[in-house]
Amino acid sequence: MEGSGGGGGADPGPAAAPDGEGEGCEGLWELPVERCERRPVCGRCSRPQKVCLCPFLPVHPLKVSTCLYIIQHPAEESRVLRTVPLLAACLPPDKCKILVGRRFNEDRYPELATVCRNPNTLILYPGAEATNLEEVAVMSSSPSVLIIIDGTWSQAKDIFYKNSLFRLPKQVQLKPSISSQYVIRTQPTNTCLSTLECAAVALSIMEKNKSIQETILHPLQALCSFQLQHGAQIHHSKEHLLKNGLYDKPMPKNKRKLRRMELLVNNVKI
């Protein structure tokens, strides 16, 4: 590094490698370092411009009355094949708001706190306390807000249970009637859906418009098709791998995690 040499007025030349290390590599440190520049990214779909998915997005944002709040775990921001940018590109900006973080309190997120206290706000999170969204949609005719947590299942669980705001809205869930088309990422079970898929199904129910689901899933299908054509492999769910003896990773030593895997094999909802 420049300026790291000590004493003397004469140029001592390159430092010698200790104990003969680096023999035959003289002068390599003098080679110019190439800067790695990021590929230009599309401003709409957030994909590299060479693999832009905008041709598979709706020409105009979908007209919906439901507003989505996507609560995104910070780890999802850096994932290359994330689905939330595609979801946001399908909807008007004021109908898809993304908040990134792990902890959400009223002082830092007053708007979110107000939304969570609104009687028309729903949070999509499965569990014993959750009502099927179809039942809620039949009884409601007013515009609603739907909160969806974006992250792995363990990340989503952590966000849901460690933020009291998210237990204020009515908790809803989707019936596991379709399998995920996000086949380039492993899901826990056959009926676990990506954030984009959850939003597509939920919006089609709340807006009473089946075509919304098809429109939002179109770019996801294109993404998976492109990745598979360029070397990606189909990722079966962990449930599928366990049931068919294809799970090739070491079984967890943690008793709680091992119990969860046993429940998957035995078709017990977790």
Side-chain angles (χ1 to χ4, degrees):
M1 295 177 64
E2 290 185 4
S4 63
D11 184 357
D19 299 327
E21 289 183 7
E23 290 182 1
C25 298
E26 293 85 353
L28 286 180
W29 48 80
E30 297 178 358
L31 294 174
V33 177
E34 292 185 6
R35 294 186 178 182
C36 181
E37 296 184 2
R38 296 189 64 181
R39 292 180 293 176
V41 173
C42 173
R44 187 183 181 197
C45 69
S46 299
R47 294 274 295 163
Q49 289 181 355
K50 288 186 177 181
V51 288
C52 173
L53 292 175
C54 287
F56 303 96
L57 295 171
V59 176
H60 303 290
L62 296 172
K63 293 182 179 179
V64 294
S65 59
T66 304
C67 179
L68 298 182
Y69 272 78
I70 307 298
I71 308 300
Q72 187 176 72
H73 190 279
E76 287 295 315
E77 267 193 309
S78 59
R79 288 189 182 275
V80 177
L81 299 176
R82 59 196 191 278
T83 64
V84 167
L86 298 178
L87 170 63
C90 292
L91 302 171
D94 64 328
K95 296 301 183 182
C96 186
K97 302 182 180 183
I98 304 168
L99 300 178
V100 181
R102 293 184 179 89
R103 301 293 173 260
F104 298 84
N105 57 55
E106 189 163 1
D107 292 337
R108 290 188 61 192
Y109 298 91
E111 178 187 340
L112 179 63
T114 301
V115 167
C116 288
R117 288 192 171 89
N118 188 322
N120 289 326
T121 297
L122 309 172
I123 185 163
L124 188 63
Y125 190 85
E129 303 298 320
T131 305
N132 286 332
L133 181 59
E134 292 90 337
E135 298 175 15
V136 177
V138 169
M139 295 183 292
S140 176
S141 58
S142 57
S144 300
V145 174
L146 180 65
I147 298 173
I148 302 177
I149 302 175
D150 179 45
T152 65
W153 288 92
S154 60
Q155 291 166 351
K157 183 178 180 181
D158 178 76
I159 289 175
F160 181 75
Y161 283 106
K162 292 185 178 179
N163 291 281
S164 58
L165 282 179
F166 298 142
R167 288 190 296 285
L168 296 176
K170 185 175 182 62
Q171 188 177 340
V172 295
Q173 62 186 355
L174 301 172
K175 287 184 179 179
S177 57
I178 64 171
S179 296
S180 176
Q181 297 183 45
Y182 194 22
V183 294
I184 54 176
R185 188 168 172 181
T186 304
Q187 305 289 358
T189 70
N190 296 331
T191 54
C192 287
L193 304 178
S194 67
T195 300
L196 178 141
E197 290 172 307
C198 286
V201 175
L203 283 174
S204 68
I205 293 171
M206 298 175 74
E207 300 289 323
K208 300 176 178 60
N209 185 348
K210 187 69 174 178
S211 67
I212 290 177
Q213 179 177 329
E214 299 171 359
T215 300
I216 295 179
L217 291 182
H218 197 200
L220 176 66
Q221 293 161 352
L223 169 64
C224 292
S225 176
F226 177 85
Q227 293 299 129
L228 292 173
Q229 289 173 19
H230 290 80
Q233 300 295 317
I234 291 178
H235 287 225
H236 294 289
S237 70
K238 188 179 292 185
E239 175 189 14
H240 174 90
L241 296 175
L242 287 168
K243 287 183 176 180
N244 291 277
L246 301 173
Y247 192 76
D248 57 0
K249 296 181 180 179
M251 297 300 284
K253 296 180 180 179
N254 182 290
K255 291 183 179 180
R256 181 177 60 84
K257 291 183 178 179
L258 190 60
R259 177 58 179 161
R260 286 174 61 86
M261 296 181 83
E262 291 174 353
L263 294 175
L264 283 176
V265 174
N266 295 318
N267 285 327
V268 178
K269 187 176 181 180
I270 57 174

